[in-house]
Each structure stands twice: as C-alpha cells, then as structure tokens.
Amino acid sequence: MCKKDRVSWHMIGMGSDTDMHGVYFQGNTIHLRGTHRDSLALFPHVSTTAFMQPDRAGIFRVLCSTLYHFTRGMNQMYEVSSCGNKDPSEQPYGMIRTFYIAAEEVEWDYAPNKNWEFEKQHSDRGWERHGDIFMNHTENWIGSQYKKVVYREYTNGEFVEIKAQPPGEEHLALLGPMIHAEVGDSVLIIFMNKANRPYSISAHGVEDMESGKGLPVPVTKPGNLPQRSAPS
Ligand SMILES: [Cu+2]
C-alpha cells in the first residue's frame, strides 16, 4: 500500500470457540468505531472491517497478540511505500500530559463482602469449609487482607497529596489510575517508588519509532524518583 492510501482490512474469525484473536497492527493505527487504535479483538464467527490511512512508510507486522497463536505462526508483514507522498513539514505533536504516579503498599482486603464466599463454600459440603481458610482471621488463618503494592496518582511531584479519583472510576479498585491522552500528545510520567521493593512502570505496546522494539523498562529502587517520557 502507499502512504496516505485509504485501506480497508477485512478480518473474519474462523475456528472454534477457543480461537479468539487479538489482531495487532504495528506501525500505523486503524480506525474502528470512532476510535484510533492499534489492535482489535476478533471473535469466532465474527467479521470486522477496520480502516487504515497509513502515515508511516516501512515494513511492519500484523500479528495475533495471543501468545499461543503468535508462536504458532500468526505473524505476517505488511509494507507501506511512500509513493511520493511527502511527510507534512510539521510534526503533529500536541500537548505534554504529565502524571505523578507512585507505587505504594496498602493493606488490601481481597474479599470486603464475605457473604458470597461463605455461602458458596459452605453450601453443600459441610466438611470442606474453604471459606474459613480464606476469609477468617484467626490464630491459624491469615484472613482476606494482605499487603499489596498499587499505583496511585498524586497531584504533583511532591508526592504528598493523592489525587481524588474521578467519578466513575471507583471500579478500578486496586488498579492504577487511567492515563488519558489524544493522538499526537506526549505523556510524561514521574514515577516514585514508595514501596519497599524495586518496582517499575512501563507503557505496554509503545514502541521505539526506529527499532520497532518496546521501550526499556527502568527498574526503580525504593525511595527513588527517576523521570521518563513516552510518545503516545
Ligand atoms: Cu489468535
């Protein structure tokens, strides 16, 4: 294909109910249902059409991100030629979005509402009381609370005040904060390790433009505060 061509990718999921594919396009984004993205889920007996208007020339992969499928050959190349279509003189980069994120230890309750667990585990087999093992904190059982390291977003680089969770994100629970950006923005993450072991933060799926490889993930020792940025 040529750069700036308007390309349709038609995909159909063959196979049985276990053949679920994560189709990943390296190098260029696809346009699907009103969003720009680099991958889509393809279910059995479902077909999807995704549109691409490539803005990068080169040889790129199309692969299934399900490891089992990838290692068995779901990995192809597609080629974009420039065809005389020049790059725009200005880079379309937008704003820099800065996030202050720390790894920190919390005492997490893995089963805050224990009713379901007790009912399920005690229903028909009175001699197997798994609910007690996982839920009750006694001399012999450790209960449902364990130390857990989570990502938390702070208001600024002093890492004192945790940023209030926006409404509608309560479901994230022990997951880290949402990082929102627009295509063309740069994302700057200031990461602080407030926990007691080495931790890291990495942008999954973000690749170096030249090498096509994932970005290195610097490991951060407890109490340290390095900086890194990644293109969105
Ligand atoms: Cu697959």
Side-chain angles (χ1 to χ4, degrees), residues 55-112:
D55 52 11
R56 283 177 65 198
I59 297 176
F60 306 105
R61 294 163 179 267
V62 187
L63 57 87
C64 180
S65 48
T66 302
L67 186 61
Y68 182 85
H69 299 155
F70 173 76
T71 55
R72 282 158 183 78
M74 288 190 73
N75 176 23
Q76 287 290 323
M77 313 301 273
Y78 75 96
E79 184 171 1
V80 180
S81 303
S82 65
C83 303
N85 293 331
K86 292 207 175 65
D87 282 319
S89 53
E90 284 180 29
Q91 287 278 26
Y93 288 131
M95 59 190 293
I96 292 179
R97 293 171 190 260
T98 305
F99 296 86
Y100 303 93
I101 297 177
E104 58 187 48
E105 292 170 358
V106 296
E107 195 70 23
W108 191 260
D109 192 341
Y110 286 81

Short mmCIF file of all heavy atoms in Angstrom, two decimals, residues 55-112:
data_model
loop_
_atom_site.label_atom_id
_atom_site.label_comp_id
_atom_site.label_asym_id
_atom_site.label_seq_id
_atom_site.Cartn_x
_atom_site.Cartn_y
_atom_site.Cartn_z
N ASP A 55 0.36 6.59 7.81
CA ASP A 55 1.18 7.80 7.73
C ASP A 55 2.65 7.49 7.96
O ASP A 55 3.46 8.39 8.05
CB ASP A 55 0.69 8.87 8.71
CG ASP A 55 0.55 8.35 10.12
OD1 ASP A 55 1.04 7.23 10.39
OD2 ASP A 55 -0.04 9.06 10.95
N ARG A 56 3.00 6.21 8.04
CA ARG A 56 4.41 5.83 8.15
C ARG A 56 4.74 4.79 7.10
O ARG A 56 4.03 3.79 6.95
CB ARG A 56 4.70 5.23 9.55
CG ARG A 56 4.80 6.29 10.64
CD ARG A 56 5.02 5.62 11.97
NE ARG A 56 6.29 4.92 12.04
CZ ARG A 56 6.58 4.00 12.94
NH1 ARG A 56 5.70 3.65 13.83
NH2 ARG A 56 7.77 3.43 12.94
N ALA A 57 5.84 5.04 6.37
CA ALA A 57 6.30 4.06 5.40
C ALA A 57 7.24 3.08 6.07
O ALA A 57 7.93 3.42 7.03
CB ALA A 57 7.01 4.78 4.24
N GLY A 58 7.26 1.85 5.58
CA GLY A 58 8.16 0.86 6.13
C GLY A 58 7.51 -0.52 6.05
O GLY A 58 6.46 -0.70 5.45
N ILE A 59 8.19 -1.49 6.68
CA ILE A 59 7.66 -2.86 6.73
C ILE A 59 7.27 -3.13 8.18
O ILE A 59 8.09 -2.96 9.09
CB ILE A 59 8.69 -3.88 6.22
CG1 ILE A 59 9.00 -3.60 4.74
CG2 ILE A 59 8.18 -5.29 6.39
CD1 ILE A 59 10.09 -4.49 4.17
N PHE A 60 6.05 -3.51 8.40
CA PHE A 60 5.52 -3.67 9.76
C PHE A 60 4.85 -5.03 9.89
O PHE A 60 4.53 -5.70 8.92
CB PHE A 60 4.50 -2.57 10.06
CG PHE A 60 5.02 -1.19 9.83
CD1 PHE A 60 4.62 -0.46 8.72
CD2 PHE A 60 5.93 -0.62 10.71
CE1 PHE A 60 5.11 0.82 8.49
CE2 PHE A 60 6.42 0.66 10.49
CZ PHE A 60 6.00 1.38 9.38
N ARG A 61 4.60 -5.40 11.13
CA ARG A 61 3.95 -6.67 11.40
C ARG A 61 2.45 -6.51 11.59
O ARG A 61 1.97 -5.48 12.07
CB ARG A 61 4.48 -7.28 12.71
CG ARG A 61 5.93 -7.70 12.69
CD ARG A 61 6.38 -7.87 14.14
NE ARG A 61 7.76 -8.29 14.25
CZ ARG A 61 8.14 -9.57 14.35
NH1 ARG A 61 7.25 -10.54 14.36
NH2 ARG A 61 9.41 -9.89 14.44
N VAL A 62 1.72 -7.56 11.23
CA VAL A 62 0.35 -7.77 11.70
C VAL A 62 0.41 -9.09 12.46
O VAL A 62 0.83 -10.09 11.90
CB VAL A 62 -0.67 -7.93 10.56
CG1 VAL A 62 -2.08 -7.97 11.12
CG2 VAL A 62 -0.53 -6.85 9.54
N LEU A 63 0.05 -9.07 13.72
CA LEU A 63 0.20 -10.31 14.48
C LEU A 63 -0.93 -10.49 15.46
O LEU A 63 -1.66 -9.55 15.79
CB LEU A 63 1.56 -10.32 15.20
CG LEU A 63 1.88 -9.19 16.17
CD1 LEU A 63 1.36 -9.48 17.57
CD2 LEU A 63 3.39 -8.99 16.22
N CYS A 64 -1.07 -11.74 15.91
CA CYS A 64 -2.03 -12.04 16.96
C CYS A 64 -1.31 -11.93 18.29
O CYS A 64 -0.26 -12.55 18.50
CB CYS A 64 -2.62 -13.43 16.80
SG CYS A 64 -3.81 -13.80 18.10
N SER A 65 -1.86 -11.13 19.19
CA SER A 65 -1.18 -10.94 20.47
C SER A 65 -1.52 -12.03 21.48
O SER A 65 -1.05 -11.98 22.61
CB SER A 65 -1.51 -9.55 21.04
OG SER A 65 -2.89 -9.31 20.99
N THR A 66 -2.31 -13.02 21.09
CA THR A 66 -2.45 -14.22 21.91
C THR A 66 -1.18 -15.04 21.71
O THR A 66 -0.90 -15.49 20.60
CB THR A 66 -3.69 -15.03 21.49
OG1 THR A 66 -4.84 -14.22 21.60
CG2 THR A 66 -3.84 -16.27 22.35
N LEU A 67 -0.41 -15.20 22.78
CA LEU A 67 0.93 -15.77 22.64
C LEU A 67 0.91 -17.14 21.95
O LEU A 67 1.72 -17.45 21.09
CB LEU A 67 1.59 -15.86 24.01
CG LEU A 67 3.06 -16.29 24.01
CD1 LEU A 67 3.91 -15.30 23.24
CD2 LEU A 67 3.57 -16.46 25.42
N TYR A 68 -0.07 -17.96 22.32
CA TYR A 68 -0.18 -19.32 21.77
C TYR A 68 -0.30 -19.26 20.25
O TYR A 68 0.28 -20.07 19.54
CB TYR A 68 -1.39 -20.02 22.39
CG TYR A 68 -1.60 -21.43 21.95
CD1 TYR A 68 -0.93 -22.48 22.58
CD2 TYR A 68 -2.47 -21.73 20.90
CE1 TYR A 68 -1.12 -23.78 22.17
CE2 TYR A 68 -2.67 -23.03 20.49
CZ TYR A 68 -1.99 -24.05 21.13
OH TYR A 68 -2.18 -25.34 20.71
N HIS A 69 -1.08 -18.32 19.74
CA HIS A 69 -1.26 -18.20 18.29
C HIS A 69 -0.03 -17.58 17.63
O HIS A 69 0.41 -18.03 16.57
CB HIS A 69 -2.49 -17.33 17.98
CG HIS A 69 -3.76 -17.90 18.51
ND1 HIS A 69 -4.86 -17.13 18.80
CD2 HIS A 69 -4.10 -19.18 18.84
CE1 HIS A 69 -5.83 -17.91 19.26
NE2 HIS A 69 -5.39 -19.15 19.30
N PHE A 70 0.53 -16.57 18.27
CA PHE A 70 1.71 -15.89 17.70
C PHE A 70 2.87 -16.86 17.51
O PHE A 70 3.49 -16.92 16.45
CB PHE A 70 2.12 -14.74 18.62
CG PHE A 70 3.41 -14.09 18.23
CD1 PHE A 70 3.47 -13.23 17.15
CD2 PHE A 70 4.57 -14.35 18.94
CE1 PHE A 70 4.67 -12.63 16.78
CE2 PHE A 70 5.77 -13.76 18.57
CZ PHE A 70 5.82 -12.91 17.50
N THR A 71 3.13 -17.68 18.55
CA THR A 71 4.27 -18.59 18.46
C THR A 71 4.02 -19.70 17.45
O THR A 71 4.94 -20.39 17.04
CB THR A 71 4.59 -19.22 19.82
OG1 THR A 71 3.41 -19.84 20.34
CG2 THR A 71 5.07 -18.16 20.80
N ARG A 72 2.76 -19.90 17.02
CA ARG A 72 2.46 -20.91 16.01
C ARG A 72 2.22 -20.30 14.64
O ARG A 72 1.64 -20.92 13.77
CB ARG A 72 1.27 -21.76 16.46
CG ARG A 72 1.70 -22.79 17.50
CD ARG A 72 0.55 -23.27 18.33
NE ARG A 72 1.03 -24.20 19.36
CZ ARG A 72 1.63 -23.81 20.47
NH1 ARG A 72 1.81 -22.53 20.71
NH2 ARG A 72 2.04 -24.70 21.34
N GLY A 73 2.61 -19.05 14.46
CA GLY A 73 2.67 -18.52 13.09
C GLY A 73 1.73 -17.39 12.75
O GLY A 73 1.72 -16.95 11.60
N MET A 74 0.90 -16.91 13.68
CA MET A 74 0.01 -15.79 13.32
C MET A 74 0.80 -14.49 13.37
O MET A 74 0.70 -13.72 14.32
CB MET A 74 -1.21 -15.73 14.24
CG MET A 74 -2.19 -16.85 13.96
SD MET A 74 -3.75 -16.64 14.82
CE MET A 74 -4.49 -15.31 13.89
N ASN A 75 1.62 -14.28 12.36
CA ASN A 75 2.57 -13.18 12.34
C ASN A 75 2.95 -12.91 10.88
O ASN A 75 3.61 -13.72 10.26
CB ASN A 75 3.80 -13.59 13.17
CG ASN A 75 4.88 -12.55 13.13
OD1 ASN A 75 4.64 -11.38 12.88
ND2 ASN A 75 6.11 -12.98 13.37
N GLN A 76 2.45 -11.83 10.33
CA GLN A 76 2.68 -11.51 8.93
C GLN A 76 3.23 -10.09 8.81
O GLN A 76 3.21 -9.33 9.77
CB GLN A 76 1.37 -11.62 8.12
CG GLN A 76 0.90 -13.04 7.89
CD GLN A 76 1.80 -13.80 6.92
OE1 GLN A 76 2.30 -13.23 5.95
NE2 GLN A 76 2.02 -15.08 7.20
N MET A 77 3.71 -9.75 7.60
CA MET A 77 4.22 -8.41 7.37
C MET A 77 3.30 -7.67 6.42
O MET A 77 2.65 -8.27 5.57
CB MET A 77 5.63 -8.47 6.75
CG MET A 77 6.59 -9.43 7.41
SD MET A 77 6.85 -9.08 9.13
CE MET A 77 8.18 -7.90 9.01
N TYR A 78 3.25 -6.33 6.58
CA TYR A 78 2.64 -5.50 5.53
C TYR A 78 3.59 -4.36 5.24
O TYR A 78 4.34 -3.93 6.11
CB TYR A 78 1.24 -5.02 5.94
CG TYR A 78 1.19 -3.92 6.96
CD1 TYR A 78 1.06 -2.59 6.56
CD2 TYR A 78 1.24 -4.19 8.31
CE1 TYR A 78 0.98 -1.56 7.49
CE2 TYR A 78 1.17 -3.18 9.26
CZ TYR A 78 1.05 -1.88 8.85
OH TYR A 78 0.98 -0.87 9.77
N GLU A 79 3.56 -3.91 4.00
CA GLU A 79 4.54 -2.91 3.57
C GLU A 79 3.83 -1.64 3.11
O GLU A 79 2.86 -1.70 2.36
CB GLU A 79 5.42 -3.45 2.43
CG GLU A 79 6.50 -2.46 2.03
CD GLU A 79 7.51 -3.06 1.06
OE1 GLU A 79 7.35 -4.23 0.69
OE2 GLU A 79 8.45 -2.34 0.67
N VAL A 80 4.33 -0.51 3.59
CA VAL A 80 3.83 0.79 3.18
C VAL A 80 4.95 1.50 2.44
O VAL A 80 6.04 1.69 2.99
CB VAL A 80 3.38 1.64 4.40
CG1 VAL A 80 2.87 3.00 3.93
CG2 VAL A 80 2.31 0.91 5.20
N SER A 81 4.72 1.87 1.18
CA SER A 81 5.69 2.66 0.42
C SER A 81 5.28 4.12 0.47
O SER A 81 4.09 4.44 0.60
CB SER A 81 5.73 2.19 -1.03
OG SER A 81 6.04 0.81 -1.09
N SER A 82 6.28 4.99 0.32
CA SER A 82 5.93 6.41 0.40
C SER A 82 5.21 6.86 -0.87
O SER A 82 4.37 7.74 -0.83
CB SER A 82 7.18 7.25 0.65
OG SER A 82 8.04 7.15 -0.47
N CYS A 83 5.52 6.25 -2.03
CA CYS A 83 4.83 6.54 -3.30
C CYS A 83 4.83 8.03 -3.60
O CYS A 83 3.86 8.56 -4.16
CB CYS A 83 3.40 6.01 -3.28
SG CYS A 83 3.27 4.24 -2.97
N GLY A 84 5.89 8.71 -3.19
CA GLY A 84 5.99 10.13 -3.49
C GLY A 84 5.17 11.03 -2.59
O GLY A 84 5.19 12.24 -2.75
N ASN A 85 4.44 10.44 -1.64
CA ASN A 85 3.68 11.26 -0.70
C ASN A 85 4.60 11.73 0.42
O ASN A 85 5.09 10.93 1.20
CB ASN A 85 2.51 10.47 -0.10
CG ASN A 85 1.47 10.14 -1.14
OD1 ASN A 85 1.30 10.87 -2.10
ND2 ASN A 85 0.80 9.01 -0.97
N LYS A 86 4.84 13.02 0.49
CA LYS A 86 5.82 13.54 1.45
C LYS A 86 5.20 13.66 2.84
O LYS A 86 3.99 13.78 3.00
CB LYS A 86 6.31 14.92 1.00
CG LYS A 86 7.14 14.87 -0.28
CD LYS A 86 8.12 16.05 -0.33
CE LYS A 86 9.04 15.96 -1.52
NZ LYS A 86 8.34 16.08 -2.81
N ASP A 87 6.12 13.64 3.81
CA ASP A 87 5.68 13.90 5.19
C ASP A 87 5.26 15.35 5.32
O ASP A 87 5.85 16.23 4.70
CB ASP A 87 6.82 13.63 6.17
CG ASP A 87 7.00 12.14 6.40
OD1 ASP A 87 5.97 11.45 6.51
OD2 ASP A 87 8.15 11.69 6.44
N PRO A 88 4.28 15.65 6.13
CA PRO A 88 3.98 17.06 6.41
C PRO A 88 5.18 17.69 7.10
O PRO A 88 5.91 17.03 7.83
CB PRO A 88 2.76 17.00 7.34
CG PRO A 88 2.73 15.60 7.87
CD PRO A 88 3.40 14.73 6.85
N SER A 89 5.39 19.00 6.83
CA SER A 89 6.61 19.65 7.33
C SER A 89 6.59 19.76 8.85
O SER A 89 7.63 19.74 9.49
CB SER A 89 6.75 21.04 6.71
OG SER A 89 5.56 21.78 6.92
N GLU A 90 5.41 19.87 9.45
CA GLU A 90 5.36 19.98 10.91
C GLU A 90 4.93 18.66 11.53
O GLU A 90 4.05 17.99 11.02
CB GLU A 90 4.33 21.06 11.32
CG GLU A 90 4.84 22.46 11.11
CD GLU A 90 3.78 23.47 11.54
OE1 GLU A 90 2.98 23.15 12.44
OE2 GLU A 90 3.76 24.55 10.96
N GLN A 91 5.59 18.32 12.64
CA GLN A 91 5.18 17.12 13.36
C GLN A 91 3.87 17.40 14.08
O GLN A 91 3.73 18.44 14.72
CB GLN A 91 6.26 16.73 14.39
CG GLN A 91 7.50 16.15 13.77
CD GLN A 91 7.34 14.68 13.46
OE1 GLN A 91 6.24 14.19 13.25
NE2 GLN A 91 8.44 13.94 13.42
N PRO A 92 2.91 16.51 13.99
CA PRO A 92 1.59 16.80 14.55
C PRO A 92 1.51 16.54 16.05
O PRO A 92 0.53 15.97 16.54
CB PRO A 92 0.70 15.82 13.78
CG PRO A 92 1.58 14.64 13.53
CD PRO A 92 2.98 15.19 13.36
N TYR A 93 2.56 16.92 16.81
CA TYR A 93 2.50 16.64 18.23
C TYR A 93 1.65 17.65 18.97
O TYR A 93 1.67 18.85 18.68
CB TYR A 93 3.90 16.64 18.85
CG TYR A 93 4.68 15.43 18.42
CD1 TYR A 93 5.97 15.54 17.92
CD2 TYR A 93 4.09 14.16 18.49
CE1 TYR A 93 6.67 14.43 17.51
CE2 TYR A 93 4.79 13.05 18.06
CZ TYR A 93 6.08 13.19 17.58
OH TYR A 93 6.75 12.09 17.16
N GLY A 94 0.90 17.19 19.91
CA GLY A 94 0.02 18.04 20.70
C GLY A 94 0.69 18.44 21.99
O GLY A 94 1.87 18.76 22.02
N MET A 95 -0.06 18.39 23.06
CA MET A 95 0.43 18.87 24.35
C MET A 95 1.17 17.76 25.09
O MET A 95 1.08 16.59 24.74
CB MET A 95 -0.74 19.36 25.20
CG MET A 95 -1.78 18.28 25.44
SD MET A 95 -3.29 18.91 26.20
CE MET A 95 -2.67 19.39 27.80
N ILE A 96 1.90 18.18 26.13
CA ILE A 96 2.53 17.22 27.03
C ILE A 96 1.60 17.01 28.22
O ILE A 96 1.16 17.99 28.84
CB ILE A 96 3.90 17.72 27.50
CG1 ILE A 96 4.88 17.75 26.32
CG2 ILE A 96 4.45 16.83 28.61
CD1 ILE A 96 6.25 18.25 26.68
N ARG A 97 1.27 15.78 28.51
CA ARG A 97 0.42 15.47 29.67
C ARG A 97 1.27 14.80 30.73
O ARG A 97 1.91 13.79 30.47
CB ARG A 97 -0.72 14.55 29.26
CG ARG A 97 -1.71 15.23 28.31
CD ARG A 97 -2.68 14.23 27.75
NE ARG A 97 -3.47 14.80 26.67
CZ ARG A 97 -4.73 15.26 26.84
NH1 ARG A 97 -5.31 15.16 28.01
NH2 ARG A 97 -5.38 15.75 25.80
N THR A 98 1.29 15.40 31.91
CA THR A 98 2.16 14.92 32.98
C THR A 98 1.34 14.20 34.05
O THR A 98 0.29 14.69 34.46
CB THR A 98 2.92 16.10 33.60
OG1 THR A 98 3.61 16.79 32.56
CG2 THR A 98 3.94 15.60 34.63
N PHE A 99 1.82 13.05 34.46
CA PHE A 99 1.17 12.28 35.52
C PHE A 99 2.20 11.95 36.60
O PHE A 99 3.34 11.59 36.28
CB PHE A 99 0.59 10.97 34.96
CG PHE A 99 -0.49 11.18 33.95
CD1 PHE A 99 -0.18 11.36 32.61
CD2 PHE A 99 -1.83 11.19 34.32
CE1 PHE A 99 -1.17 11.56 31.67
CE2 PHE A 99 -2.83 11.39 33.39
CZ PHE A 99 -2.50 11.57 32.05
N TYR A 100 1.79 12.09 37.86
CA TYR A 100 2.65 11.75 39.00
C TYR A 100 2.10 10.48 39.62
O TYR A 100 1.02 10.48 40.22
CB TYR A 100 2.67 12.90 40.01
CG TYR A 100 3.12 14.20 39.40
CD1 TYR A 100 2.20 15.11 38.89
CD2 TYR A 100 4.48 14.50 39.29
CE1 TYR A 100 2.62 16.29 38.30
CE2 TYR A 100 4.90 15.69 38.71
CZ TYR A 100 3.96 16.58 38.22
OH TYR A 100 4.38 17.75 37.63
N ILE A 101 2.83 9.40 39.45
CA ILE A 101 2.31 8.10 39.88
C ILE A 101 3.33 7.44 40.80
O ILE A 101 4.53 7.41 40.50
CB ILE A 101 2.03 7.20 38.65
CG1 ILE A 101 0.94 7.85 37.79
CG2 ILE A 101 1.60 5.81 39.09
CD1 ILE A 101 0.64 7.11 36.51
N ALA A 102 2.85 6.92 41.90
CA ALA A 102 3.72 6.23 42.86
C ALA A 102 3.27 4.79 43.03
O ALA A 102 2.08 4.48 42.94
CB ALA A 102 3.69 6.96 44.20
N ALA A 103 4.24 3.93 43.28
CA ALA A 103 3.94 2.57 43.74
C ALA A 103 4.00 2.61 45.25
O ALA A 103 4.97 3.11 45.82
CB ALA A 103 4.96 1.58 43.17
N GLU A 104 2.95 2.13 45.90
CA GLU A 104 2.96 2.16 47.36
C GLU A 104 2.22 0.96 47.93
O GLU A 104 1.39 0.34 47.27
CB GLU A 104 2.36 3.47 47.88
CG GLU A 104 0.95 3.73 47.42
CD GLU A 104 0.51 5.13 47.84
OE1 GLU A 104 1.28 6.08 47.60
OE2 GLU A 104 -0.57 5.25 48.42
N GLU A 105 2.56 0.67 49.17
CA GLU A 105 1.99 -0.52 49.81
C GLU A 105 0.70 -0.15 50.55
O GLU A 105 0.64 0.86 51.24
CB GLU A 105 3.00 -1.11 50.79
CG GLU A 105 4.20 -1.70 50.07
CD GLU A 105 5.33 -2.07 51.00
OE1 GLU A 105 5.20 -1.84 52.23
OE2 GLU A 105 6.34 -2.57 50.50
N VAL A 106 -0.30 -0.99 50.35
CA VAL A 106 -1.54 -0.83 51.11
C VAL A 106 -1.91 -2.19 51.70
O VAL A 106 -1.40 -3.23 51.27
CB VAL A 106 -2.71 -0.34 50.22
CG1 VAL A 106 -2.44 1.07 49.68
CG2 VAL A 106 -2.98 -1.30 49.08
N GLU A 107 -2.76 -2.14 52.69
CA GLU A 107 -3.34 -3.36 53.25
C GLU A 107 -4.65 -3.59 52.51
O GLU A 107 -5.61 -2.84 52.71
CB GLU A 107 -3.59 -3.15 54.76
CG GLU A 107 -3.84 -4.39 55.55
CD GLU A 107 -2.61 -5.27 55.72
OE1 GLU A 107 -1.46 -4.77 55.61
OE2 GLU A 107 -2.81 -6.47 55.95
N TRP A 108 -4.66 -4.55 51.59
CA TRP A 108 -5.81 -4.71 50.70
C TRP A 108 -6.70 -5.85 51.16
O TRP A 108 -6.22 -6.93 51.47
CB TRP A 108 -5.34 -4.98 49.27
CG TRP A 108 -6.48 -4.89 48.30
CD1 TRP A 108 -7.19 -5.91 47.75
CD2 TRP A 108 -7.07 -3.69 47.79
NE1 TRP A 108 -8.18 -5.43 46.95
CE2 TRP A 108 -8.14 -4.08 46.95
CE3 TRP A 108 -6.79 -2.33 47.97
CZ2 TRP A 108 -8.92 -3.13 46.29
CZ3 TRP A 108 -7.58 -1.41 47.32
CH2 TRP A 108 -8.63 -1.81 46.48
N ASP A 109 -8.00 -5.57 51.22
CA ASP A 109 -8.96 -6.62 51.56
C ASP A 109 -9.48 -7.24 50.27
O ASP A 109 -10.20 -6.60 49.51
CB ASP A 109 -10.12 -6.02 52.37
CG ASP A 109 -10.97 -7.11 52.99
OD1 ASP A 109 -10.89 -8.27 52.52
OD2 ASP A 109 -11.72 -6.81 53.93
N TYR A 110 -9.06 -8.48 50.01
CA TYR A 110 -9.43 -9.14 48.76
C TYR A 110 -10.88 -9.61 48.75
O TYR A 110 -11.39 -10.02 47.71
CB TYR A 110 -8.50 -10.34 48.50
CG TYR A 110 -7.12 -9.91 48.05
CD1 TYR A 110 -6.16 -9.49 48.98
CD2 TYR A 110 -6.78 -9.90 46.71
CE1 TYR A 110 -4.91 -9.08 48.56
CE2 TYR A 110 -5.53 -9.50 46.29
CZ TYR A 110 -4.60 -9.09 47.22
OH TYR A 110 -3.36 -8.69 46.81
N ALA A 111 -11.54 -9.61 49.87
CA ALA A 111 -12.94 -10.03 49.93
C ALA A 111 -13.67 -9.14 50.93
O ALA A 111 -14.00 -9.57 52.04
CB ALA A 111 -13.04 -11.50 50.32
N PRO A 112 -13.93 -7.87 50.55
CA PRO A 112 -14.56 -6.95 51.50
C PRO A 112 -15.96 -7.39 51.91
O PRO A 112 -16.35 -7.19 53.06
CB PRO A 112 -14.61 -5.62 50.74
CG PRO A 112 -14.41 -5.96 49.31
CD PRO A 112 -13.63 -7.22 49.27
#
